[in-house]
Amino acid sequence: IRAMSGSPAVSLKEKEGTPKGSMGSLISTDPPKGTRDFPPEDMRLRTWLFNNFREVSRLFSFEEVDFPLVESEELYTRKAGEEIVGQLYNFEDKGGRKVALRPELTPSLARLVLQKGRAQSYPLKWFAIGQCWRYERMTRGRRREHYQWNMDIIGVPGVEAEAELLSAIVTFFTKLGITSNDVGIKVSNRKVLQAVLEKFNIPVDSFPAVCVIVDKLEKLPREEIEGELDKAGVPSNAVEGILKALSLKSFDDLEALIGAQSGAVAELKQLFALAEGYGIQDWLHFDASVVRGLAYYTGTVFEGFDKDKKLRAICGGGRYDRLLSTYGGQDTPACGFGFGDAVIVELLKEKKLLPVLPHVVDDVVMALEDSLRVPAAGVAARLRSKGRVVELVIEKGKKMKWVFKHCDTLKAKRLVLLGSTEWDQGKVNVKDLDAREQTLKTVDELIEST
Ligand SMILES: OCc1cccc(Br)n1
């Protein structure tokens, strides 16, 4: 590593036992704490996963969008006590701007919607795949980055939008071989909690903070939750009512608590009816305990979970009809979900559904003598122009034993050898490695037979 003028690119501090290179001690080769490298075999799995994200988004007629990794910190300065805000990977840039590595994609999407304004034909159906960051104290050894697939529908007030999103999630799981025996999607509606808070005359502006607190019910001791609710201005007699509401598992119980005319009941019933239409009803489970930990949800909320209960939430989302107006825009109905790249891979491992993704090569081309390297490059170029994946042997001094082993490692379909005897007759030696046959062909015959 060459030291930059006056500022070494890395600190080459001497460490006991550190192997020495020509320039000094070896730098740490690990990626920063909580982050991952993607060497080829891991990158092939990630590409496979993202291709499935994109294919489902395409089937649902969504358009891909993208945003900067770094955003103005003000996009995330919500005051509801969210973990995602408390763990902001934020800093001041060299221009004194307060910026952050995005912890989620929805605020960027909202910013772009506001930027584009009413010029867009609504509803907008946008998807994005992007790396998101959090600065988590490494005490828990959790990751600090992951990639998220987001699908969002902007401009549809009805639960038809949520039904589309839930169908997209089920389509994705099904594509990967995951069934409703493996995974379920818990569905609820924050209007349940809203109705309960109204019953206890709890101020509306404490609603986001209460949602963030009760989202931690299964993660923190009850006393801690009650303490946080108390700090958020929820009287102790209301706590019981809130906890009771969150334990409901049936629409009848829900109607008994908040009335059959409540918006939550109507929306949930309509959503589950639409689910029947999509044929995804087996995947959905009404569960009032689902609140989700983002402050801006206002209606439907949902999260994918593994029925073996070994993993954290696989995906999650909901309706956020007020987010654009909190950024100074007009009230715009919106809903979406986030689907991380890590838990799904753990689930695929559990279910033995990880795909086998070898580095696939069609043809290996090798000159047997250095004098034939130029025509060998020409053969490779012509094969590639026909769409063949070609590994041209560019290493020097390789022999037949080595190249056969190399073809086996690469699982190549064909080996094309250029030797002077055959080349003098204008031919190359084509070995079909699957059929174990070899023939002499002119290059034109080889290309035409491809
Ligand atoms: O889902 C919360 C989150 C946000 C950013 C990075 C990671 Br890892 N996890």
Side-chain angles (χ1 to χ4, degrees):
I1 297 289
R2 294 188 195 295
M4 318 284 272
S5 55
S7 58
V10 285
S11 62
L12 295 176
K13 57 180 180 297
E14 290 295 322
K15 271 188 265 174
E16 264 320 294
T18 305
K20 285 195 182 310
S22 59
M23 292 291 291
S25 59
L26 181 66
I27 59 161
S28 162
T29 58
D30 293 331
K33 271 188 182 309
T35 70
R36 300 164 291 174
D37 293 314
F38 286 88
E41 68 278 14
D42 295 342
M43 195 63 201
R44 285 197 291 274
L45 178 61
R46 182 178 123 185
T47 301
W48 169 84
L49 189 68
F50 289 14
N51 286 345
N52 279 288
F53 288 157
R54 286 200 164 86
E55 177 54 16
V56 171
S57 304
R58 186 186 69 83
L59 289 174
F60 280 73
S61 177
F62 277 59
E63 296 176 278
E64 187 162 10
V65 293
D66 197 7
F67 332 95
L69 182 65
V70 174
E71 285 276 14
S72 166
E73 190 185 80
E74 67 177 351
L75 251 58
Y76 314 109
T77 50
R78 306 186 291 256
K79 302 273 184 288
E82 295 151 286
E83 184 178 71
I84 203 169
V85 173
Q87 294 175 343
L88 211 50
Y89 214 126
N90 58 331
F91 55 98
E92 197 162 298
D93 72 11
K94 289 183 168 52
R97 296 174 196 82
K98 291 183 180 302
V99 293
L101 300 185
R102 62 191 176 196
E104 55 169 329
L105 300 178
T106 307
S108 301
L109 180 131
R111 177 180 59 71
L112 185 58
V113 169
L114 291 175
Q115 179 197 120
K116 290 296 178 190
R118 309 309 297 174
Q120 302 290 313
S121 62
Y122 282 73
L124 302 177
K125 296 177 190 173
W126 289 354
F127 83 94
I129 302 172
Q131 192 176 38
C132 296
W133 293 78
R134 67 182 171 197
Y135 192 85
E136 162 113 29
R137 296 264 168 257
M138 286 313 278
T139 43
R140 286 201 278 181
R142 293 203 302 173
R143 279 173 292 100
R144 285 183 172 156
E145 55 78 22
H146 72 168
Y147 285 82
Q148 251 194 36
W149 168 43
N150 279 213
M151 289 180 83
D152 290 84
I153 299 177
I154 312 292
V156 175
V159 293
E160 290 80 2
E162 287 94 319
E164 273 282 273
L165 295 176
L166 290 166
S167 177
I169 290 171
V170 169
T171 301
F172 176 78
F173 282 132
T174 305
K175 253 170 85 67
L176 272 53
I178 293 162
T179 73
S180 58
N181 295 323
D182 304 316
V183 163
I185 304 175
K186 294 174 188 168
V187 180
S188 187
N189 191 307
R190 281 196 171 178
K191 289 177 179 171
V192 173
L193 201 49
Q194 202 173 1
V196 173
L197 298 188
E198 280 165 10
K199 261 172 83 169
F200 290 97
N201 302 313
I202 294 165
V204 169
D205 57 8
S206 58
F207 176 63
V210 170
C211 290
V212 171
I213 293 166
V214 298
D215 175 61
K216 296 182 276 188
L217 260 174
E218 289 171 7
K219 301 159 203 160
L220 295 177
R222 169 135 172 198
E223 307 70 58
E224 208 171 317
I225 298 292
E226 291 179 358
E228 289 195 27
L229 285 172
D230 177 56
K231 276 192 212 132
V234 176
S236 53
N237 67 317
V239 174
E240 213 43 54
I242 289 171
L243 298 178
K244 179 172 178 347
L246 295 176
S247 65
L248 299 179
K249 296 278 192 268
S250 77
F251 289 161
D252 291 346
D253 294 346
L254 190 59
E255 287 188 6
L257 183 78
I258 58 175
Q261 304 316 314
S262 91
V265 174
E267 287 178 12
L268 283 163
K269 282 186 170 178
Q270 192 189 1
L271 182 53
F272 276 75
L274 285 164
E276 296 272 349
Y278 284 100
I280 62 171
Q281 64 283 0
D282 294 346
W283 293 78
L284 306 192
H285 308 269
F286 167 63
D287 183 335
S289 70
V290 175
V291 182
R292 298 296 294 164
L294 292 170
Y296 48 68
Y297 289 134
T298 54
T300 307
V301 282
F302 51 85
E303 77 185 28
F305 69 99
D306 79 294
K307 292 193 168 176
D308 292 341
K309 297 192 186 331
K310 291 181 183 171
L311 306 172
R312 297 181 309 289
I314 304 163
C315 57
R319 177 163 288 278
Y320 52 95
D321 286 347
R322 305 273 303 125
L323 184 63
L324 278 83
S325 53
T326 60
Y327 288 152
Q330 284 181 305
D331 254 349
T332 309
C335 61
F337 69 76
F339 199 124
D341 71 327
V343 178
I344 183 66
V345 169
E346 291 170 46
L347 178 69
L348 290 169
K349 282 178 186 157
E350 282 288 323
K351 301 296 177 185
K352 303 199 180 345
L353 286 171
L354 277 180
V356 175
L357 301 167
H359 169 44
V360 177
V361 171
D362 295 322
D363 300 323
V364 172
V365 176
M366 184 166 94
L368 291 170
E369 293 106 35
D370 281 352
S371 61
L372 292 173
R373 283 188 177 280
V374 171
V379 170
R382 290 187 65 185
L383 286 168
R384 285 165 175 160
S385 67
K386 296 274 285 188
R388 298 285 284 182
V389 176
V390 179
E391 172 107 353
L392 174 63
V393 176
I394 52 178
E395 303 93 307
K396 300 261 188 195
K398 296 301 182 185
K399 301 300 175 204
M400 287 309 294
K401 187 165 177 260
W402 174 87
V403 80
F404 279 116
K405 174 104 181 65
H406 194 47
C407 288
D408 188 46
T409 307
L410 293 172
K411 305 220 178 342
K413 299 178 181 63
R414 265 187 334 194
L415 171 58
V416 180
L417 294 168
L418 282 78
S420 49
T421 311
E422 297 84 359
W423 188 250
D424 291 348
Q425 302 158 26
K427 306 262 184 172
V428 293
N429 185 333
V430 183
K431 295 179 187 300
D432 181 324
L433 299 170
D434 297 332
R436 295 180 170 278
E437 292 162 1
Q438 69 173 7
T439 51
L440 293 182
K441 292 177 191 280
T442 66
V443 178
D444 287 347
E445 286 165 347
L446 169 68
I447 300 303
E448 277 142 31
S449 68
T450 297

